Amino acid sequence: MLFFFARNIYLVQSKGLDSWMGGGMRMFGKIDKMLYRVAGFEVTYNSKKYFINLRSVPEFEDEDVALRILPSDDRLKEISKKIKSKKWFFNPEKENITLKPTSVNSLLIDNALITKIEVLTVDFDAKTKEIKLKDINYAN
């Protein structure tokens, strides 16, 4: 037991693995923690793509957590309907999209421009030392 205990500590500390992934002792895997996930949607407006992180929209806090925990197809479709049922505005001065108009120049966005609801995971490539976002799941 002492050997397995020491081996587990070594693998967890040196390889970034979690010994409980897959059921316990000697079964290692990388954990995709919900903290490393990003949930949001894309809007294509004036030939540019904007990503709206649901964490930045307080009204969608519950949906953000639900999508990051379990980004199933059904949940994505359900939340997509809710997102598209709201009025979204583009602020030309700040070049951002918000749920409420933030200036007198804010423009109402056609919800048909909301093209993709997605959940991404943060992925670190140790070789290139780059952080990238990878799709876990998405719906249109």
Side-chain angles (χ1 to χ4, degrees), residues 45 63 76 79:
Y45 189 77
E63 290 79 4
L76 279 164
I79 293 172

Side-chain angles (χ1 to χ4, degrees), residues 72-79:
S72 68
D73 289 344
D74 290 338
R75 183 167 281 165
L76 279 164
K77 289 175 187 171
E78 177 186 317
I79 293 172

